[in-house]
Amino acid sequence: MSKKKYPIKDLNYPTHYSWKRKFDFDWNTKSDQRNWTLPKVLKDQADSIPDKDFLQFSYEKALTFSQVNKQANKIADSLKKLGINKTDKVSVYMPNSLEICLAWFGILKNGSVMVPINTAYVMDFLQYIIESSDSKIIIIAEEYLERLANIQDRIPKIEKVIVWTRDKKDDFESSGYNKTEAVSWNKFLSDGSEVEPSVEVTHLDHARLMYTSGTTGKSKGVVRPCAADYSSAQNYSSIMDLTNDDTVFTCLPLFHSNAMVMGVYPAMISGCKVVVEEKYSASKFWKWMKDFEITKFNLVGVMSYFMWNAPVVPEEKEHKVKLVLGSPAPHDIIEEFMERFNILFTEGYGLTEVGQCTFTRPNEPFRVGSCGKESPGYEIKIVNPETDEELPRNTPGELVLRPRIPNICLHYYYKMPEKTVSDFRNLWFHTGDLCRMDEDGYIFFMDRVKDYIRRRGENISSFEVENLISTHSNIEESAAIAVKLDEQGRHSEDELMIVIVLKEGLTLMPEELIEYLKPIMPKFMIPRFVRFRDSLPKTPTNRVQKVKLREEGITKDTWDSLKQ
């Protein structure tokens, strides 16, 4: 790992890349939004390039646009026969697979709304998403049925369960779930027709209800219209210069926006192939790139550093990858990284609510340390977090934005009108991120105004972590904070520390706490570091001063789960 302090400088990347398409920043003002729906895009591609390979999972045979469209039609028809109508919610709780993509397409073709669920969610987290979304059906992997059985008495709105199995067989183990009828994926699919659904899906209809971590409460359900997902996907396609000759790759989870609207959907729009793997593997990654003849892919957070620290393999130089989107790119080793892996970087920054709102623009320099400039369709300001007054260039403040055209960001937070109004106060969407904008319009992410933590590609609400930890009978109060580790790279994501005050006279071993949390908390939310304190530093109004805890960082008495 390079330890140098890099200067802010411009590189000739990605201008070094030979662009096939002319980048048009104003493309979205010249395009008819009535065409901005996934069902229409898929049907149009199936009509115009029916035999072109589109969707491939791992080393399985790729499905063509025509085959994918027919499967999506069958799923839509099967949902209709189960009484699922336009605007109804369908939860999907599955690992990356061919079928999770088909389910997504079929749900939208029926005019219904997909509710992707993080596969790490269990117990209260899982129940909250299913119930608060008003889902009527859940499509679930067999391996997660026991988790559903554990909460089956708390999800009364679920009318039917559709079970997908890895071996693609009809039989599955119910694992104690018996509340409603559960049918196999194959049986569900066999009831459907390949005929195009008659339901009309417009660009204003909702495509996804995706939950993202809150900072002072429960996760927020982000309601995204069809036009917003199309805008995100087309922006990516333009920035990454996708053509029908490309092959896109993702191993990022398909319950997150990145893999969906910056992977699979752009490939659909561009008429090219996308290859999906279940999850990232440092030992297999470059072999995949070579075997699948990948030309474009995305990296998030610490993945770059996992890749950098992996042993050198011949495939690093034997691939066809042309351009990589980093969110963020590894700025402290970026030149060495590109040289070692023979790739070129571009970069962007985004949120579930608005998609990727900044990008490094084609044919402009890559400014090291920056996440680029405004994306097509967005206006960005840096403001005082307390007053919303715009700040001078190069002054740190909160990044706020608003769309230049309608329907390209969330419509609202589901069942959270107050939160919707709060985040859109003064008619600007407030990201909660501390950034600065330089004199040329380049934006630099610096820190978080809001109190959430980014770890392994997941946004973690400190509120939710603290709430669950406080259920332990020996704990008086706690504070969850983010800490950075030098060995993971300057631009890696956070690690999670919990600082605990015990009830008077009681004791608790860190190992005991971790074991207590495992059955009730997603794995990515379980703290790596545990530290005990006699008290927490607080303001005169009794708010915990987490900035002081972050400044103290990892002390000599901090327990590290990875060193046990």
Side-chain angles (χ1 to χ4, degrees), residues 142-160:
E142 178 185 24
E143 60 222 65
Y144 304 141
L145 266 176
E146 184 177 1
R147 301 179 185 178
L148 199 66
N150 290 336
I151 61 167
Q152 60 185 327
D153 293 329
R154 298 157 55 191
I155 49 173
K157 298 172 188 174
I158 290 294
E159 299 172 0
K160 185 161 288 193

Side-chain angles (χ1 to χ4, degrees), residues 152-435:
Q152 60 185 327
D153 293 329
R154 298 157 55 191
I155 49 173
K157 298 172 188 174
I158 290 294
E159 299 172 0
K160 185 161 288 193
V161 174
I162 299 162
V163 183
W164 170 81
T165 60
R166 288 182 180 268
D167 60 12
K168 304 185 189 298
K169 293 182 179 178
D170 287 333
D171 296 332
F172 57 86
E173 176 57 53
S174 65
S175 300
Y177 183 82
N178 54 22
K179 196 69 175 178
T180 59
E181 184 183 6
V183 299
S184 72
W185 172 264
N186 291 344
K187 174 66 171 66
F188 163 72
L189 201 60
S190 68
D191 291 337
S193 166
E194 295 180 353
V195 175
E196 286 291 335
S198 59
V199 61
E200 180 185 5
V201 179
T202 78
H203 65 293
L204 299 176
D205 290 326
H206 297 148
R208 289 183 295 149
L209 173 53
M210 181 165 280
Y211 283 79
T212 185
S213 289
T215 56
T216 58
K218 292 283 190 179
S219 295
K220 301 169 290 187
V222 177
V223 178
R224 294 264 300 182
C226 288
D229 280 0
Y230 181 93
S231 176
S232 294
Q234 183 61 65
N235 270 348
Y236 177 91
S237 180
S238 299
I239 297 291
M240 292 293 283
D241 193 36
L242 289 192
T243 73
N244 58 10
D245 294 326
D246 278 305
T247 301
V248 178
F249 175 84
T250 189
C251 58
L252 301 173
L254 279 156
F255 49 74
H256 280 330
S257 287
N258 192 305
M260 298 178 79
V261 299
M262 296 202 302
V264 176
Y265 199 2
M268 181 190 294
I269 289 172
S270 303
C272 66
K273 183 165 80 171
V274 59
V275 179
V276 176
E277 274 289 350
E278 183 169 352
K279 57 186 176 182
Y280 173 74
S281 167
S283 62
K284 297 176 182 177
F285 189 86
W286 290 108
K287 185 176 188 306
W288 288 338
M289 297 303 100
K290 180 182 178 181
D291 290 353
F292 300 143
E293 299 186 331
I294 302 301
T295 58
K296 311 281 171 68
F297 69 84
N298 303 339
L299 289 174
V300 296
V302 79
M303 279 176 65
S304 300
Y305 296 97
F306 287 157
M307 199 174 287
W308 178 256
N309 291 323
V312 174
V313 293
E315 291 88 351
E316 290 177 8
K317 301 283 191 180
E318 298 172 350
H319 56 78
K320 296 182 178 180
V321 175
K322 298 174 183 177
L323 198 58
V324 176
L325 175 72
S327 299
H331 297 129
D332 51 337
I333 54 170
I334 190 164
E335 292 176 273
E336 302 98 314
F337 194 100
M338 290 193 289
E339 181 179 356
R340 172 181 167 181
F341 296 115
N342 192 29
I343 62 167
L344 298 178
F345 257 114
T346 187
E347 184 165 350
Y349 155 91
L351 303 90
T352 301
E353 289 91 337
V354 300
Q356 208 82 354
C357 55
T358 79
F359 277 112
T360 302
R361 295 181 186 175
N363 301 315
E364 293 189 17
F366 186 107
R367 186 155 295 177
V368 176
S370 169
C371 54
K373 298 181 179 181
E374 293 171 342
S375 296
Y378 281 113
E379 179 183 2
I380 290 176
K381 291 197 309 185
I382 307 299
V383 303
N384 183 320
E386 301 297 324
T387 66
D388 278 356
E389 294 172 315
E390 188 169 9
L391 295 169
R393 294 297 173 101
N394 287 308
T395 304
E398 184 174 7
L399 188 151
V400 299
L401 58 86
R402 63 185 178 191
R404 297 179 185 271
I405 59 174
N407 306 309
I408 64 170
C409 66
L410 81 159
H411 272 172
Y412 51 84
Y413 292 119
Y414 194 60
K415 297 181 181 177
M416 291 185 173
E418 296 88 354
K419 185 62 179 170
T420 303
V421 171
S422 172
D423 279 10
F424 277 98
R425 63 190 178 275
N426 292 319
L427 303 181
W428 290 81
F429 180 77
H430 290 63
T431 66
D433 286 335
L434 189 72
C435 300

